[in-house]
Amino acid sequence: MADPSILVTFPTPSSSPFVIEHVSDEFTSVCPETGHPDFGSIVLRYQPTPADAPDSKGCVELKSLKLYYQSFRNEGIYYEAVTNAIRDHLVSLLEPEWLQIVTEWKGRGGIRSRIRADHGEVPSEYRG
């Protein structure tokens, strides 16, 4: 299973609200039914807890996020489970104001998939 202990944080650099968006175009996992590789992209959006909040957990560090994503590489897991696991792990780590994960999967058999998992009050411009 993917290893969330790989994830590292750094302090939120601002007390003013801001949105972070990280895009990974090289995500891979394995279809649990066929054993074939699945290829997709992940968009992570979140608003970190302000730096001056007593419960601020910070922001996710990019190298650790990349290594975390790579820990799914040989995992037999459905698209929906990948998306929800990433959301749950990052929410637990960061405790953000809100967080959104959108995964988009390359077509296989003529079907492409897009999965979205939200936490908190995601702004309307990111819903839809």
Side-chain angles (χ1 to χ4, degrees), residues 1-7 64 67-72 75 89:
M1 184 62 164
D3 185 4
S5 71
I6 294 170
L7 294 165
S64 74
L67 294 172
Y68 168 71
Y69 286 164
Q70 289 174 349
S71 74
F72 284 93
E75 183 76 23
H89 291 155

Side-chain angles (χ1 to χ4, degrees), residues 58-109:
C59 305
V60 68
E61 188 275 327
L62 288 181
K63 181 180 177 185
S64 74
L65 183 63
K66 179 181 88 169
L67 294 172
Y68 168 71
Y69 286 164
Q70 289 174 349
S71 74
F72 284 93
R73 181 158 292 167
N74 297 316
E75 183 76 23
I77 188 168
Y78 293 103
Y79 301 158
E80 298 82 358
V82 167
T83 308
N84 283 282
I86 293 170
R87 187 239 1 245
D88 294 346
H89 291 155
L90 289 170
V91 165
S92 179
L93 176 74
L94 302 172
E95 297 180 15
E97 299 294 310
W98 61 266
L99 181 141
Q100 180 182 70
I101 301 292
V102 179
T103 58
E104 295 196 28
W105 302 89
K106 303 287 186 209
R108 186 183 308 138

